[in-house]
Amino acid sequence: MALEIAFWVLAIVAIAAALAVVTLRNVFRAALSLILCFLAVAGIFIILSADFLAAVQILIYVGAISVLIILAIMLTREVERGSLSNKLVVPVLISAVLFFGTVTFAMLKTSWSLVSLPPAEATTVALASKLFGEDGFILTVEIAAILLLATIIGAITIVREK
Amino acid sequence: MAILSTNPNSFSQLAVLPPDWPGNFWLHWVVFTVIILAFVLNTALIFIWLERRALGRFQVRLGPNRVGPFGLLQPIADVLKLLTKEDMIPAKGDKLVFWLAPLVAFVPVLMIFAVIPFQSGALLADLNIGILYVVAISSVAAVGVFMAGWASNNKYSLIGAMRDVAMLISYEIPIVLSIVGVVLITGSLSLTEIVGAQRDIPFILLQPLGFLIFFIGSLAESNRTPFDLVEADSELVAGYHIEYSGMKFATLFLAEYAEVIAMSALMTTLFLGGWQGPLLPPIIWFLIKVFAVFLFIVWIRSTIPRMRIDQVMAFAWKFLLPLALINLLITSLQVVFWPEASPWLIVFLNLVAMVVLVLSWSRFFRLGGERIEV
């Protein structure tokens, strides 16, 4: 019961914050709403007993990505009125509707397997052995690491002084 | 909720208090929230008094000594003065964000204390991701500082806030890497088990380089001298809280001191053996260690001048980050290939490695064309 109340509160907060991100004119406040949305999603992870995932969600999305977004906003003009010369409303609307439709269709068509077992007590160990253990996803992890390294080198190459 | 439940078997030999003391879940929650609030507020008042008195001694002057015996009531007088001040909001600022910023800065710092064990089993929630939770939640506090800086509509406060975020992003990496060394030795993220693993040797001896990096990094994260560029009085007047007054300023000030308390408590828990110690009761040992770390921070404040922002950035990326990576490599080699070696041998090896690394790294570490000697 308490978990249901918590879920509904978090879900409403997350959706309201997500709507605020796209509707607010003030870009800075939109970024703050994005942080609120990330926090609510982390709360939903906690309800699902995915404690490690929740901490990583806060650490990466709130602590790093949102802060970088805010730093980038500081480098732009017209923070309080948003972009004044934007003519991309129609293409963005079409692609957003298409994306929303695809995701909803995929979610409704997937047969979600429900497990009645209580979740594992410590998810950290299970996650680590899945990611780095034998017949785990070590190749995927390595590919992601190389991708990130390539991005960093690319960024350094672009900003390097001649 | 799995995140709030505890595993009673893993540290049964350590636990004195049951996990849901004194009774049920909600009672436990209420009691420990009140304890944490009282601890943070009172320790902040004592720290403010202690810092001003100690700084006075270091600078060969008296410090506040008029209100009450030894000036002990000075912080209370200061708080009363702050609460009766006029509460001003800049006319062109963002009023909602301005109002929210002190809360966003203070609440995450307060939440750190939820997982810090004051004595065996005496903590709000023994999360099995304890230290990861601390790292995650403490990074949210920077958002509050940034909100304060931006909503004030003042260039000095915005520069201060930008510096805070830049420093936070840079110093978070060495801090986390030095924590990973502790986690590797313990084999657990839970703070209770990290304290339990230090029954024989505190991790400051096993991980001397890790402690050094964590200490410097937390000085930067809590904006203490020599890293107090966020409020550098001589260039930014007061930094991100320049437009704040009254209760809101008091909350921001409190958030800053709460962060110092949290960092002292974390260093106590991670490296100094937590509440463990002979003869005295555990809670007294915990407080002694927290106050000792804080006095060391004040000592550094009165000794080392403030660094420039480029020096601070270069120090994080060129000095602390490589040393943290080497420390992590050494620790994992020891854990994987030499698990049954005598701990005192490891202590000796790591101390030698720290001295050699710090001295040799400072040889080819240059700032602004000048060599820095250690």
Side-chain angles (χ1 to χ4, degrees), chain A residues 3 26 28-29 32 35 46 49 51-52 55 58-59 62-63 67-68 70-71 74 79 121-122 124, chain B residues 1-3 5 94 96-97 128-129 132 135-137 139-140 143 146-147 150 158 162 165 169 172 189:
Chain A
L3 279 185
N26 188 327
F28 186 75
R29 286 194 181 185
L32 293 181
I35 292 175
I46 293 176
S49 299
D51 45 6
F52 185 84
I58 293 178
L59 181 61
V62 179
V67 166
L68 282 179
I70 292 178
L71 266 184
M74 289 298 126
V79 172
E121 185 58 46
T124 316
Chain B
M1 290 172 78
I3 194 168
S5 67
D94 191 333
L96 180 68
V97 179
N128 57 33
I129 51 160
L132 184 69
V135 172
I137 211 78
S139 66
V140 181
V143 176
F146 212 110
M147 284 164 73
W150 188 78
L158 188 56
M162 298 277 262
V165 173
I169 292 177
E172 191 127 297
L189 293 166

mmCIF file of all heavy atoms in Angstrom, chain A residues 3 26 28-29 32 35 46 49 51-52 55 58-59 62-63 67-68 70-71 74 79 121-122 124, chain B residues 1-3 5 94 96-97 128-129 132 135-137 139-140 143 146-147 150 158 162 165 169 172 189:
data_model
loop_
_atom_site.group_PDB
_atom_site.id
_atom_site.type_symbol
_atom_site.label_atom_id
_atom_site.label_comp_id
_atom_site.label_asym_id
_atom_site.label_seq_id
_atom_site.Cartn_x
_atom_site.Cartn_y
_atom_site.Cartn_z
ATOM 1 N N LEU A 3 3.930 1.394 -0.747
ATOM 2 C CA LEU A 3 4.717 1.394 -1.975
ATOM 3 C C LEU A 3 3.903 1.929 -3.141
ATOM 4 O O LEU A 3 4.412 2.647 -4.001
ATOM 5 C CB LEU A 3 5.205 -0.021 -2.280
ATOM 6 C CG LEU A 3 6.439 -0.482 -1.507
ATOM 7 C CD1 LEU A 3 6.886 -1.836 -2.000
ATOM 8 C CD2 LEU A 3 7.560 0.532 -1.661
ATOM 9 N N ASN A 26 11.762 29.452 -19.753
ATOM 10 C CA ASN A 26 13.035 29.708 -19.092
ATOM 11 C C ASN A 26 13.892 28.441 -19.146
ATOM 12 O O ASN A 26 13.562 27.427 -18.548
ATOM 13 C CB ASN A 26 12.744 30.106 -17.640
ATOM 14 C CG ASN A 26 13.968 30.570 -16.923
ATOM 15 O OD1 ASN A 26 15.063 30.096 -17.192
ATOM 16 N ND2 ASN A 26 13.780 31.483 -15.998
ATOM 17 N N PHE A 28 16.811 27.726 -17.933
ATOM 18 C CA PHE A 28 17.424 27.313 -16.678
ATOM 19 C C PHE A 28 16.435 26.525 -15.828
ATOM 20 O O PHE A 28 16.748 25.470 -15.283
ATOM 21 C CB PHE A 28 17.926 28.544 -15.924
ATOM 22 C CG PHE A 28 18.706 28.208 -14.686
ATOM 23 C CD1 PHE A 28 20.006 27.741 -14.782
ATOM 24 C CD2 PHE A 28 18.133 28.347 -13.442
ATOM 25 C CE1 PHE A 28 20.718 27.417 -13.641
ATOM 26 C CE2 PHE A 28 18.845 28.027 -12.305
ATOM 27 C CZ PHE A 28 20.142 27.571 -12.405
ATOM 28 N N ARG A 29 15.191 27.050 -15.734
ATOM 29 C CA ARG A 29 14.180 26.321 -14.965
ATOM 30 C C ARG A 29 13.859 24.981 -15.612
ATOM 31 O O ARG A 29 13.565 24.007 -14.917
ATOM 32 C CB ARG A 29 12.916 27.156 -14.849
ATOM 33 C CG ARG A 29 13.063 28.298 -13.874
ATOM 34 C CD ARG A 29 11.715 28.867 -13.549
ATOM 35 N NE ARG A 29 11.830 29.986 -12.635
ATOM 36 C CZ ARG A 29 10.775 30.598 -12.131
ATOM 37 N NH1 ARG A 29 9.565 30.218 -12.474
ATOM 38 N NH2 ARG A 29 10.931 31.589 -11.289
ATOM 39 N N LEU A 32 16.349 22.609 -14.410
ATOM 40 C CA LEU A 32 16.061 22.202 -13.026
ATOM 41 C C LEU A 32 14.922 21.184 -12.986
ATOM 42 O O LEU A 32 14.967 20.228 -12.208
ATOM 43 C CB LEU A 32 15.719 23.425 -12.173
ATOM 44 C CG LEU A 32 16.857 24.404 -11.943
ATOM 45 C CD1 LEU A 32 16.393 25.545 -11.063
ATOM 46 C CD2 LEU A 32 18.042 23.714 -11.303
ATOM 47 N N ILE A 35 16.238 17.847 -13.683
ATOM 48 C CA ILE A 35 16.858 17.231 -12.502
ATOM 49 C C ILE A 35 15.786 16.587 -11.629
ATOM 50 O O ILE A 35 15.935 15.459 -11.149
ATOM 51 C CB ILE A 35 17.646 18.291 -11.709
ATOM 52 C CG1 ILE A 35 18.853 18.738 -12.515
ATOM 53 C CG2 ILE A 35 18.076 17.744 -10.368
ATOM 54 C CD1 ILE A 35 19.621 19.850 -11.883
ATOM 55 N N ILE A 46 14.216 2.799 -6.749
ATOM 56 C CA ILE A 46 14.304 2.335 -5.356
ATOM 57 C C ILE A 46 13.094 1.483 -5.010
ATOM 58 O O ILE A 46 13.210 0.429 -4.377
ATOM 59 C CB ILE A 46 14.416 3.533 -4.394
ATOM 60 C CG1 ILE A 46 15.750 4.241 -4.603
ATOM 61 C CG2 ILE A 46 14.310 3.073 -2.949
ATOM 62 C CD1 ILE A 46 15.914 5.479 -3.777
ATOM 63 N N SER A 49 13.423 -2.012 -5.884
ATOM 64 C CA SER A 49 14.548 -2.675 -5.205
ATOM 65 C C SER A 49 15.824 -2.638 -6.021
ATOM 66 O O SER A 49 16.730 -3.427 -5.772
ATOM 67 C CB SER A 49 14.225 -4.137 -4.857
ATOM 68 O OG SER A 49 13.141 -4.181 -3.998
ATOM 69 N N ASP A 51 18.535 -0.730 -5.935
ATOM 70 C CA ASP A 51 19.176 0.362 -5.204
ATOM 71 C C ASP A 51 20.440 0.858 -5.901
ATOM 72 O O ASP A 51 20.691 2.048 -5.971
ATOM 73 C CB ASP A 51 19.480 -0.058 -3.764
ATOM 74 C CG ASP A 51 20.085 -1.438 -3.677
ATOM 75 O OD1 ASP A 51 20.368 -2.008 -4.730
ATOM 76 O OD2 ASP A 51 20.283 -1.926 -2.555
ATOM 77 N N PHE A 52 21.235 -0.088 -6.453
ATOM 78 C CA PHE A 52 22.470 0.312 -7.135
ATOM 79 C C PHE A 52 22.149 1.210 -8.328
ATOM 80 O O PHE A 52 22.755 2.264 -8.529
ATOM 81 C CB PHE A 52 23.221 -0.942 -7.598
ATOM 82 C CG PHE A 52 24.559 -0.661 -8.199
ATOM 83 C CD1 PHE A 52 25.670 -0.513 -7.394
ATOM 84 C CD2 PHE A 52 24.705 -0.544 -9.566
ATOM 85 C CE1 PHE A 52 26.906 -0.244 -7.939
ATOM 86 C CE2 PHE A 52 25.940 -0.273 -10.112
ATOM 87 C CZ PHE A 52 27.039 -0.120 -9.299
ATOM 88 N N ALA A 55 21.240 4.743 -7.224
ATOM 89 C CA ALA A 55 22.395 5.576 -6.853
ATOM 90 C C ALA A 55 23.146 6.020 -8.097
ATOM 91 O O ALA A 55 23.565 7.175 -8.198
ATOM 92 C CB ALA A 55 23.316 4.795 -5.913
ATOM 93 N N ILE A 58 21.289 8.839 -9.872
ATOM 94 C CA ILE A 58 21.499 10.150 -9.267
ATOM 95 C C ILE A 58 22.911 10.640 -9.559
ATOM 96 O O ILE A 58 23.128 11.797 -9.935
ATOM 97 C CB ILE A 58 21.245 10.086 -7.747
ATOM 98 C CG1 ILE A 58 19.772 9.808 -7.484
ATOM 99 C CG2 ILE A 58 21.659 11.383 -7.078
ATOM 100 C CD1 ILE A 58 19.432 9.690 -6.039
ATOM 101 N N LEU A 59 23.900 9.737 -9.408
ATOM 102 C CA LEU A 59 25.294 10.145 -9.574
ATOM 103 C C LEU A 59 25.556 10.647 -10.987
ATOM 104 O O LEU A 59 26.154 11.708 -11.189
ATOM 105 C CB LEU A 59 26.205 8.950 -9.261
ATOM 106 C CG LEU A 59 27.701 9.195 -9.369
ATOM 107 C CD1 LEU A 59 28.110 10.268 -8.402
ATOM 108 C CD2 LEU A 59 28.458 7.929 -9.087
ATOM 109 N N VAL A 62 21.971 13.244 -12.355
ATOM 110 C CA VAL A 62 21.818 14.499 -11.625
ATOM 111 C C VAL A 62 23.174 15.148 -11.398
ATOM 112 O O VAL A 62 23.371 16.329 -11.646
ATOM 113 C CB VAL A 62 21.106 14.248 -10.275
ATOM 114 C CG1 VAL A 62 20.978 15.542 -9.513
ATOM 115 C CG2 VAL A 62 19.759 13.627 -10.508
ATOM 116 N N GLY A 63 24.152 14.338 -10.913
ATOM 117 C CA GLY A 63 25.428 14.909 -10.504
ATOM 118 C C GLY A 63 26.296 15.328 -11.660
ATOM 119 O O GLY A 63 27.045 16.295 -11.561
ATOM 120 N N VAL A 67 24.401 18.811 -14.443
ATOM 121 C CA VAL A 67 25.294 19.924 -14.120
ATOM 122 C C VAL A 67 26.003 20.415 -15.387
ATOM 123 O O VAL A 67 26.162 21.625 -15.597
ATOM 124 C CB VAL A 67 26.282 19.474 -13.031
ATOM 125 C CG1 VAL A 67 27.418 20.448 -12.904
ATOM 126 C CG2 VAL A 67 25.564 19.340 -11.703
ATOM 127 N N LEU A 68 26.386 19.461 -16.250
ATOM 128 C CA LEU A 68 27.018 19.868 -17.513
ATOM 129 C C LEU A 68 26.023 20.608 -18.400
ATOM 130 O O LEU A 68 26.384 21.576 -19.078
ATOM 131 C CB LEU A 68 27.572 18.642 -18.231
ATOM 132 C CG LEU A 68 28.894 18.128 -17.673
ATOM 133 C CD1 LEU A 68 29.344 16.904 -18.429
ATOM 134 C CD2 LEU A 68 29.952 19.210 -17.766
ATOM 135 N N ILE A 70 23.572 22.463 -17.333
ATOM 136 C CA ILE A 70 23.436 23.810 -16.782
ATOM 137 C C ILE A 70 24.637 24.662 -17.162
ATOM 138 O O ILE A 70 24.503 25.836 -17.525
ATOM 139 C CB ILE A 70 23.254 23.734 -15.255
ATOM 140 C CG1 ILE A 70 21.909 23.104 -14.926
ATOM 141 C CG2 ILE A 70 23.351 25.103 -14.633
ATOM 142 C CD1 ILE A 70 21.652 22.929 -13.467
ATOM 143 N N LEU A 71 25.840 24.060 -17.091
ATOM 144 C CA LEU A 71 27.037 24.804 -17.500
ATOM 145 C C LEU A 71 26.928 25.245 -18.947
ATOM 146 O O LEU A 71 27.288 26.367 -19.306
ATOM 147 C CB LEU A 71 28.267 23.916 -17.333
ATOM 148 C CG LEU A 71 29.044 24.038 -16.026
ATOM 149 C CD1 LEU A 71 30.269 23.157 -16.079
ATOM 150 C CD2 LEU A 71 29.445 25.463 -15.785
ATOM 151 N N MET A 74 24.664 28.175 -19.367
ATOM 152 C CA MET A 74 25.291 29.430 -18.971
ATOM 153 C C MET A 74 26.048 30.072 -20.136
ATOM 154 O O MET A 74 26.294 31.268 -20.134
ATOM 155 C CB MET A 74 26.275 29.171 -17.824
ATOM 156 C CG MET A 74 25.617 28.843 -16.530
ATOM 157 S SD MET A 74 24.600 30.176 -15.946
ATOM 158 C CE MET A 74 23.068 29.343 -15.701
ATOM 159 N N VAL A 79 18.650 33.118 -21.859
ATOM 160 C CA VAL A 79 18.322 32.005 -20.967
ATOM 161 C C VAL A 79 16.865 32.085 -20.508
ATOM 162 O O VAL A 79 16.172 31.086 -20.403
ATOM 163 C CB VAL A 79 19.268 32.018 -19.747
ATOM 164 C CG1 VAL A 79 18.828 31.014 -18.715
ATOM 165 C CG2 VAL A 79 20.681 31.716 -20.193
ATOM 166 N N GLU A 121 18.824 -9.530 -2.459
ATOM 167 C CA GLU A 121 19.070 -8.549 -1.396
ATOM 168 C C GLU A 121 20.114 -7.515 -1.837
ATOM 169 O O GLU A 121 19.859 -6.326 -1.846
ATOM 170 C CB GLU A 121 19.540 -9.281 -0.139
ATOM 171 C CG GLU A 121 19.712 -8.388 1.058
ATOM 172 C CD GLU A 121 18.431 -7.660 1.421
ATOM 173 O OE1 GLU A 121 17.363 -8.307 1.459
ATOM 174 O OE2 GLU A 121 18.497 -6.456 1.655
ATOM 175 N N ALA A 122 21.288 -7.990 -2.243
ATOM 176 C CA ALA A 122 22.332 -7.071 -2.682
ATOM 177 C C ALA A 122 22.445 -7.153 -4.200
ATOM 178 O O ALA A 122 22.932 -8.137 -4.742
ATOM 179 C CB ALA A 122 23.655 -7.420 -2.029
ATOM 180 N N THR A 124 24.274 -5.264 -6.069
ATOM 181 C CA THR A 124 25.582 -4.868 -6.575
ATOM 182 C C THR A 124 26.382 -6.079 -7.048
ATOM 183 O O THR A 124 26.945 -6.081 -8.141
ATOM 184 C CB THR A 124 26.368 -4.140 -5.469
ATOM 185 O OG1 THR A 124 25.504 -3.233 -4.817
ATOM 186 C CG2 THR A 124 27.540 -3.427 -6.049
ATOM 187 N N MET B 1 10.787 -2.385 1.351
ATOM 188 C CA MET B 1 11.794 -1.668 0.582
ATOM 189 C C MET B 1 13.169 -2.254 0.863
ATOM 190 O O MET B 1 13.687 -2.154 1.962
ATOM 191 C CB MET B 1 11.788 -0.191 0.960
ATOM 192 C CG MET B 1 10.537 0.512 0.473
ATOM 193 S SD MET B 1 10.450 2.157 1.109
ATOM 194 C CE MET B 1 11.588 2.975 0.032
ATOM 195 N N ALA B 2 13.747 -2.848 -0.148
ATOM 196 C CA ALA B 2 14.997 -3.563 0.070
ATOM 197 C C ALA B 2 16.121 -2.613 0.456
ATOM 198 O O ALA B 2 17.027 -2.978 1.191
ATOM 199 C CB ALA B 2 15.372 -4.329 -1.180
ATOM 200 N N ILE B 3 16.035 -1.371 -0.027
ATOM 201 C CA ILE B 3 17.164 -0.475 0.185
ATOM 202 C C ILE B 3 17.279 -0.071 1.647
ATOM 203 O O ILE B 3 18.339 0.265 2.137
ATOM 204 C CB ILE B 3 17.026 0.769 -0.730
ATOM 205 C CG1 ILE B 3 18.324 1.512 -0.784
ATOM 206 C CG2 ILE B 3 15.924 1.658 -0.268
ATOM 207 C CD1 ILE B 3 18.361 2.540 -1.833
ATOM 208 N N SER B 5 16.253 -2.122 4.178
ATOM 209 C CA SER B 5 16.335 -3.261 5.073
ATOM 210 C C SER B 5 17.793 -3.656 5.265
ATOM 211 O O SER B 5 18.660 -3.334 4.476
ATOM 212 C CB SER B 5 15.558 -4.432 4.504
ATOM 213 O OG SER B 5 16.176 -4.881 3.349
ATOM 214 N N ASP B 94 15.644 35.471 -10.063
ATOM 215 C CA ASP B 94 14.596 34.471 -10.254
ATOM 216 C C ASP B 94 14.099 34.083 -8.866
ATOM 217 O O ASP B 94 14.751 33.332 -8.141
ATOM 218 C CB ASP B 94 15.189 33.266 -10.991
ATOM 219 C CG ASP B 94 14.115 32.308 -11.454
ATOM 220 O OD1 ASP B 94 13.050 32.282 -10.815
ATOM 221 O OD2 ASP B 94 14.345 31.604 -12.453
ATOM 222 N N LEU B 96 11.629 32.262 -7.398
ATOM 223 C CA LEU B 96 11.353 30.883 -6.985
ATOM 224 C C LEU B 96 12.667 30.128 -6.776
ATOM 225 O O LEU B 96 12.868 29.478 -5.748
ATOM 226 C CB LEU B 96 10.490 30.197 -8.049
ATOM 227 C CG LEU B 96 10.148 28.748 -7.732
ATOM 228 C CD1 LEU B 96 9.216 28.680 -6.529
ATOM 229 C CD2 LEU B 96 9.507 28.061 -8.925
ATOM 230 N N VAL B 97 13.575 30.230 -7.746
ATOM 231 C CA VAL B 97 14.855 29.514 -7.646
ATOM 232 C C VAL B 97 15.665 30.064 -6.487
ATOM 233 O O VAL B 97 16.303 29.315 -5.744
ATOM 234 C CB VAL B 97 15.610 29.621 -8.979
ATOM 235 C CG1 VAL B 97 16.937 28.911 -8.887
ATOM 236 C CG2 VAL B 97 14.799 29.034 -10.102
ATOM 237 N N ASN B 128 23.177 -1.307 1.718
ATOM 238 C CA ASN B 128 24.298 -2.113 1.248
ATOM 239 C C ASN B 128 25.053 -1.419 0.112
ATOM 240 O O ASN B 128 26.073 -1.915 -0.332
ATOM 241 C CB ASN B 128 23.845 -3.520 0.851
ATOM 242 C CG ASN B 128 22.768 -3.483 -0.191
ATOM 243 O OD1 ASN B 128 22.759 -2.594 -1.038
ATOM 244 N ND2 ASN B 128 21.848 -4.425 -0.146
ATOM 245 N N ILE B 129 24.564 -0.250 -0.335
ATOM 246 C CA ILE B 129 25.331 0.544 -1.304
ATOM 247 C C ILE B 129 25.877 1.795 -0.630
ATOM 248 O O ILE B 129 26.226 2.762 -1.302
ATOM 249 C CB ILE B 129 24.464 0.963 -2.503
ATOM 250 C CG1 ILE B 129 23.188 1.608 -2.009
ATOM 251 C CG2 ILE B 129 24.181 -0.189 -3.411
ATOM 252 C CD1 ILE B 129 22.527 2.457 -3.026
ATOM 253 N N LEU B 132 28.372 4.417 -2.070
ATOM 254 C CA LEU B 132 27.917 4.886 -3.378
ATOM 255 C C LEU B 132 26.784 5.895 -3.210
ATOM 256 O O LEU B 132 26.727 6.914 -3.912
ATOM 257 C CB LEU B 132 27.460 3.695 -4.220
ATOM 258 C CG LEU B 132 27.051 4.017 -5.642
ATOM 259 C CD1 LEU B 132 28.258 4.412 -6.449
ATOM 260 C CD2 LEU B 132 26.372 2.833 -6.287
ATOM 261 N N VAL B 135 28.325 9.231 -2.269
ATOM 262 C CA VAL B 135 28.916 9.914 -3.428
ATOM 263 C C VAL B 135 27.823 10.505 -4.305
ATOM 264 O O VAL B 135 27.918 11.652 -4.763
ATOM 265 C CB VAL B 135 29.789 8.924 -4.218
ATOM 266 C CG1 VAL B 135 30.238 9.553 -5.507
ATOM 267 C CG2 VAL B 135 30.980 8.496 -3.402
ATOM 268 N N ALA B 136 26.746 9.729 -4.516
ATOM 269 C CA ALA B 136 25.678 10.191 -5.395
ATOM 270 C C ALA B 136 24.969 11.400 -4.796
ATOM 271 O O ALA B 136 24.778 12.417 -5.467
ATOM 272 C CB ALA B 136 24.684 9.057 -5.644
ATOM 273 N N ILE B 137 24.602 11.298 -3.517
ATOM 274 C CA ILE B 137 23.746 12.337 -2.934
ATOM 275 C C ILE B 137 24.547 13.623 -2.710
ATOM 276 O O ILE B 137 23.995 14.718 -2.797
ATOM 277 C CB ILE B 137 23.116 11.810 -1.621
ATOM 278 C CG1 ILE B 137 21.756 12.432 -1.398
ATOM 279 C CG2 ILE B 137 23.973 12.081 -0.427
ATOM 280 C CD1 ILE B 137 20.686 11.836 -2.218
ATOM 281 N N SER B 139 26.686 14.845 -4.661
ATOM 282 C CA SER B 139 26.862 15.591 -5.905
ATOM 283 C C SER B 139 25.646 16.457 -6.207
ATOM 284 O O SER B 139 25.729 17.364 -7.025
ATOM 285 C CB SER B 139 27.110 14.627 -7.064
ATOM 286 O OG SER B 139 25.962 13.845 -7.293
ATOM 287 N N VAL B 140 24.513 16.195 -5.537
ATOM 288 C CA VAL B 140 23.305 16.991 -5.780
ATOM 289 C C VAL B 140 23.448 18.383 -5.163
ATOM 290 O O VAL B 140 22.876 19.348 -5.663
ATOM 291 C CB VAL B 140 22.066 16.261 -5.222
ATOM 292 C CG1 VAL B 140 20.802 17.058 -5.472
ATOM 293 C CG2 VAL B 140 21.941 14.897 -5.852
ATOM 294 N N VAL B 143 24.032 21.459 -7.240
ATOM 295 C CA VAL B 143 22.898 22.069 -7.946
ATOM 296 C C VAL B 143 22.340 23.232 -7.125
ATOM 297 O O VAL B 143 22.007 24.289 -7.674
ATOM 298 C CB VAL B 143 21.816 21.006 -8.220
ATOM 299 C CG1 VAL B 143 20.606 21.640 -8.869
ATOM 300 C CG2 VAL B 143 22.364 19.910 -9.094
ATOM 301 N N PHE B 146 24.587 26.192 -7.475
ATOM 302 C CA PHE B 146 24.425 26.787 -8.797
ATOM 303 C C PHE B 146 23.123 27.584 -8.877
ATOM 304 O O PHE B 146 23.068 28.667 -9.455
ATOM 305 C CB PHE B 146 24.444 25.693 -9.861
ATOM 306 C CG PHE B 146 25.029 26.174 -11.146
ATOM 307 C CD1 PHE B 146 26.259 25.722 -11.565
ATOM 308 C CD2 PHE B 146 24.358 27.099 -11.920
ATOM 309 C CE1 PHE B 146 26.812 26.186 -12.722
ATOM 310 C CE2 PHE B 146 24.909 27.558 -13.080
ATOM 311 C CZ PHE B 146 26.139 27.094 -13.491
ATOM 312 N N MET B 147 22.040 27.028 -8.281
ATOM 313 C CA MET B 147 20.763 27.751 -8.269
ATOM 314 C C MET B 147 20.911 29.075 -7.543
ATOM 315 O O MET B 147 20.412 30.107 -8.004
ATOM 316 C CB MET B 147 19.682 26.893 -7.587
ATOM 317 C CG MET B 147 19.164 25.769 -8.436
ATOM 318 S SD MET B 147 18.268 24.553 -7.474
ATOM 319 C CE MET B 147 16.774 25.440 -7.110
ATOM 320 N N TRP B 150 22.903 31.556 -9.741
ATOM 321 C CA TRP B 150 22.232 32.052 -10.935
ATOM 322 C C TRP B 150 21.042 32.939 -10.590
ATOM 323 O O TRP B 150 20.830 33.982 -11.210
ATOM 324 C CB TRP B 150 21.768 30.881 -11.794
ATOM 325 C CG TRP B 150 21.256 31.337 -13.110
ATOM 326 C CD1 TRP B 150 22.004 31.719 -14.170
ATOM 327 C CD2 TRP B 150 19.892 31.503 -13.486
ATOM 328 N NE1 TRP B 150 21.196 32.098 -15.196
ATOM 329 C CE2 TRP B 150 19.892 31.982 -14.804
ATOM 330 C CE3 TRP B 150 18.682 31.282 -12.838
ATOM 331 C CZ2 TRP B 150 18.729 32.242 -15.482
ATOM 332 C CZ3 TRP B 150 17.516 31.542 -13.506
ATOM 333 C CH2 TRP B 150 17.542 32.020 -14.825
ATOM 334 N N LEU B 158 27.488 34.433 -9.793
ATOM 335 C CA LEU B 158 27.485 33.462 -10.898
ATOM 336 C C LEU B 158 28.895 32.899 -11.116
ATOM 337 O O LEU B 158 29.058 31.687 -11.306
ATOM 338 C CB LEU B 158 26.968 34.123 -12.174
ATOM 339 C CG LEU B 158 26.753 33.142 -13.316
ATOM 340 C CD1 LEU B 158 25.807 32.051 -12.873
ATOM 341 C CD2 LEU B 158 26.218 33.828 -14.536
ATOM 342 N N MET B 162 29.909 29.009 -10.873
ATOM 343 C CA MET B 162 30.580 28.286 -11.960
ATOM 344 C C MET B 162 31.836 27.604 -11.449
ATOM 345 O O MET B 162 32.138 26.460 -11.783
ATOM 346 C CB MET B 162 30.960 29.250 -13.082
ATOM 347 C CG MET B 162 29.809 29.929 -13.747
ATOM 348 S SD MET B 162 29.061 28.913 -15.003
ATOM 349 C CE MET B 162 29.808 29.556 -16.466
ATOM 350 N N VAL B 165 30.979 24.415 -9.496
ATOM 351 C CA VAL B 165 30.625 23.266 -10.331
ATOM 352 C C VAL B 165 31.868 22.693 -11.006
ATOM 353 O O VAL B 165 32.079 21.474 -11.038
ATOM 354 C CB VAL B 165 29.563 23.672 -11.364
ATOM 355 C CG1 VAL B 165 29.323 22.545 -12.335
ATOM 356 C CG2 VAL B 165 28.282 24.025 -10.672
ATOM 357 N N ILE B 169 33.113 18.811 -10.343
ATOM 358 C CA ILE B 169 33.264 17.784 -11.380
ATOM 359 C C ILE B 169 34.689 17.249 -11.388
ATOM 360 O O ILE B 169 34.928 16.058 -11.523
ATOM 361 C CB ILE B 169 32.874 18.377 -12.755
ATOM 362 C CG1 ILE B 169 31.388 18.663 -12.773
ATOM 363 C CG2 ILE B 169 33.235 17.435 -13.870
ATOM 364 C CD1 ILE B 169 30.928 19.309 -14.043
ATOM 365 N N GLU B 172 35.608 15.223 -7.934
ATOM 366 C CA GLU B 172 34.819 14.026 -7.654
ATOM 367 C C GLU B 172 35.553 12.767 -8.114
ATOM 368 O O GLU B 172 35.489 11.727 -7.466
ATOM 369 C CB GLU B 172 33.475 14.136 -8.386
ATOM 370 C CG GLU B 172 32.490 13.085 -7.943
ATOM 371 C CD GLU B 172 31.192 13.713 -7.535
ATOM 372 O OE1 GLU B 172 31.230 14.472 -6.563
ATOM 373 O OE2 GLU B 172 30.177 13.458 -8.176
ATOM 374 N N LEU B 189 30.317 -2.234 -0.005
ATOM 375 C CA LEU B 189 30.053 -0.800 -0.079
ATOM 376 C C LEU B 189 29.413 -0.272 1.196
ATOM 377 O O LEU B 189 29.288 0.931 1.371
ATOM 378 C CB LEU B 189 29.133 -0.497 -1.264
ATOM 379 C CG LEU B 189 29.673 -0.730 -2.667
ATOM 380 C CD1 LEU B 189 28.548 -0.707 -3.663
ATOM 381 C CD2 LEU B 189 30.694 0.305 -3.018
#
